[in-house]
Amino acid sequence: MSRKLAPLIAFIGTTPNIGTTTAAFATAYRLAEWSGKPIGYLCLHLKSAKLQRFIGMDDPVASLDKLHPELRSSALTVDMLRSATHAVKGQPNLRVLFGNLNREQAEFFRPEEIEHLLTVAEKTFSAVFVDLGAYWDNAATICAVRRADSRVLVTTPALSHFQEDGRRWIGRVSPLFEVHVNQYECIVVQYPWGTGGYSMKEISKELGTSPLGEFRMTDTLFAGLDKGAYNEWLKDDPTGKAAMKEPAKILMERHQLQGSFSPIVRQPWYRKLLTHRNGVSSS
């Protein structure tokens, strides 16, 4: 088999409506911002796509359902996919394929159609983010989770989310498709009002996953979502500019996506070396 042209990074939630889409989009935004490379974001929600509303595109011209004929006939090309994606305002390196907006078609997406979409996406972008929500009763979730190079599990400190839902779906269902809990990394969504007293360490241990980071929801974020200005919040709001920085750095380094706009992370030993050299770098 030939090596894939782009890494596939899948985000899946333990529970519906907890912030999986917002966490995934923020991470993709950071990578597009830092790498300077074309980043693709595929919303594979077949029944509950919401990203178009979050970024002010209530009636997008193109979406997953409108590509169904090309997917069914395996005729989708790189140029077709690029044309069907939306360049995010303020961050043109990030292009979004909105999810299925025709709920009646949700049951008709077949595994081979999703595999075809992912194959074309890997040829189109430098990295591909896949937003999967929390439902396992569809080809999109199963195909993308199995195929992903990085699997990010999103949950909250609520016991019913990371313990009950986590055990049911990630602990029991995911292994049926040969993806085990230790192949996921965990993002914990923190709400302003709090949802429980459990730490990242405790949540990751309970799930059996590795910790990747936290995503903090704020009142200004909710206001941005309501106004369809989530992308502007990520670009301009002080909290938004810091959102998902650490997880994005890890993924960017892992998949070798550093570019000319990448943030420079100086390790403590490097800072000491600069001090010893009177602050003069040899690079």
Side-chain angles (χ1 to χ4, degrees):
M1 293 179 61
S2 60
R3 187 179 65 86
K4 292 191 298 184
L5 297 181
L8 189 70
I9 302 167
F11 275 68
I12 185 167
T14 58
T15 312
N17 302 315
I18 59 172
T20 301
T21 293
T22 49
F25 186 79
T27 311
Y29 192 98
R30 294 279 89 92
L31 259 71
E33 179 180 58
W34 292 342
S35 71
K37 297 178 180 179
I39 305 298
Y41 186 100
L42 309 183
C43 176
L44 293 189
H45 288 256
L46 302 185
K47 294 183 179 180
S48 57
K50 294 186 176 68
L51 180 60
Q52 69 279 359
R53 296 179 181 174
F54 294 164
I55 62 174
M57 293 290 294
D58 288 345
D59 189 22
V61 174
S63 55
L64 179 63
D65 50 294
K66 293 181 174 67
L67 291 179
H68 208 173
E70 287 77 18
L71 297 177
R72 188 179 296 119
S73 60
S74 297
L76 186 68
T77 66
V78 166
D79 288 340
M80 288 178 184
L81 179 57
R82 189 179 290 113
S83 296
T85 57
H86 168 73
V88 175
K89 182 180 178 181
Q91 186 43 259
N93 293 327
L94 180 58
R95 300 192 68 93
V96 174
L97 176 66
F98 295 112
N100 178 43
L101 304 182
N102 184 352
R103 291 178 65 100
E104 289 72 22
Q105 286 193 27
E107 308 297 332
F108 298 104
F109 283 92
R110 300 175 299 184
E112 56 268 30
E113 296 166 2
I114 300 299
E115 292 285 358
H116 179 51
L117 172 63
L118 298 178
T119 296
V120 175
E122 289 165 355
K123 298 176 182 178
T124 306
F125 304 103
S126 294
V128 180
F129 281 77
V130 184
D131 175 12
L132 299 169
Y135 297 102
W136 283 80
D137 59 348
N138 61 85
T141 296
I142 295 167
C143 290
V145 166
R146 283 173 55 87
R147 188 174 179 129
D149 299 289
S150 289
R151 303 173 181 92
V152 181
L153 179 65
V154 180
T155 192
T156 80
L159 192 64
S160 61
H161 293 168
F162 73 83
Q163 185 183 78
E164 183 178 347
D165 292 340
R167 284 178 179 174
R168 178 185 297 126
W169 300 112
I170 305 304
R172 297 174 187 169
V173 176
S174 183
L176 298 177
F177 300 101
E178 302 178 337
V179 181
H180 298 277
V181 290
N182 61 359
Q183 294 175 275
Y184 292 88
E185 295 169 287
C186 184
I187 290 289
V188 176
V189 177
Q190 300 285 357
Y191 294 97
W193 52 85
T195 55
Y198 296 94
S199 67
M200 166 68 81
K201 182 178 180 181
E202 292 170 319
I203 293 168
S204 296
K205 183 178 179 180
E206 176 68 27
L207 285 167
T209 61
S210 300
L212 186 61
E214 293 185 338
F215 179 66
R216 294 194 172 275
M217 308 282 270
T218 66
D219 291 337
T220 58
L221 182 152
F222 289 119
L225 297 178
D226 289 343
K227 293 188 295 184
Y230 183 38
N231 49 313
E232 296 175 17
W233 181 82
L234 289 168
K235 181 180 180 181
D236 300 325
D237 184 89
T239 304
K241 288 191 285 188
M244 297 302 285
K245 286 180 67 174
E246 293 306 317
K249 288 177 186 176
I250 292 170
L251 292 170
M252 186 170 65
E253 292 173 4
R254 175 184 303 162
H255 297 298
Q256 300 179 0
L257 295 167
Q258 292 92 333
S260 58
F261 303 102
S262 301
I264 299 174
V265 182
R266 301 300 194 195
Q267 299 297 331
W269 62 264
Y270 186 85
R271 291 196 293 269
K272 290 179 181 178
L273 179 61
L274 289 185
T275 300
H276 180 70
R277 293 177 176 173
N278 295 320
V280 178
S281 172
S282 60
S283 60

